[in-house]
Amino acid sequence: MSNIPDNLRYSKDHEWVAVDGDVATIGITDHAQHSLGDVVYIDMPRAGDKFDTHEAFGSVESVKAVSELFTPVGGEIAEVNDGLNDTPEAVNNDPYAAGWMVRIKMANPGEADAMMSAVEYEEYLSASA
């Protein structure tokens, strides 16, 4: 059973978003990190890069595969979790805190409202199993 915090929003691509004003913190879900296995490298954008909604902003490499990372909301990268360069395993150990990946200043903050709630994401995972 995956850990699905109630206070976040979720995408069908298994990213989570925490909204603070017009800034969204983004990472991958506990389900995603379990599916990937041990994360060994993360390719991330730079602050100031701009992305549209659902656009690939980087990739995560694990012992099993390389997977693209998608922005569930569009906007400009405000901050990148540079700590993941040295400790990519933080995504496995703590996906919702130390494993956050980027912070985006959202072009349209309402986009996060359209994402799934924790209950909806849990139902989505159950239906996908």
Side-chain angles (χ1 to χ4, degrees), residues 8 12-13 27 35 42 44 48 50 54-55 64 69-70 78 80 84 93 98-99 111 126:
L8 304 175
K12 290 182 178 180
D13 294 320
S35 297
I42 302 171
M44 293 203 282
K50 295 180 181 177
H54 306 298
E55 188 175 359
K64 293 182 179 177
L69 299 165
F70 297 95
V80 175
L84 295 179
N93 299 333
E111 286 181 322
S126 294

Side-chain angles (χ1 to χ4, degrees), residues 6 11 14 27 41 57 68 92-93 104 121 128-129:
D6 289 338
S11 75
H14 307 289
Y41 179 76
F57 70 89
E68 287 189 304
N92 295 113
N93 299 333
I104 291 182
Y121 183 63
S128 302

Side-chain angles (χ1 to χ4, degrees), residues 5-106:
D6 289 338
N7 61 328
L8 304 175
R9 305 299 288 184
Y10 299 90
S11 75
K12 290 182 178 180
D13 294 320
H14 307 289
E15 282 95 12
W16 59 263
V17 169
V19 176
D20 183 11
D22 64 351
V23 176
T25 301
I26 298 172
I28 63 171
T29 65
D30 187 46
H31 171 81
Q33 69 84 16
H34 272 291
S35 297
L36 287 167
D38 293 336
V39 173
V40 295
Y41 179 76
I42 302 171
D43 180 34
M44 293 203 282
R46 287 179 278 185
D49 290 350
K50 295 180 181 177
F51 295 93
D52 291 328
T53 306
H54 306 298
E55 188 175 359
F57 70 89
S59 62
V60 59
E61 181 177 341
S62 71
V63 293
K64 293 182 179 177
V66 176
S67 300
E68 287 189 304
L69 299 165
F70 297 95
T71 57
V73 295
E76 181 177 331
I77 301 294
E79 185 177 356
V80 175
N81 185 355
D82 291 328
L84 295 179
N85 292 331
D86 296 328
T87 57
E89 65 274 13
V91 172
N92 295 113
N93 299 333
D94 195 6
Y96 298 111
W100 70 274
M101 296 179 172
V102 295
R103 292 195 168 106
I104 291 182
K105 183 175 169 81
M106 294 182 283

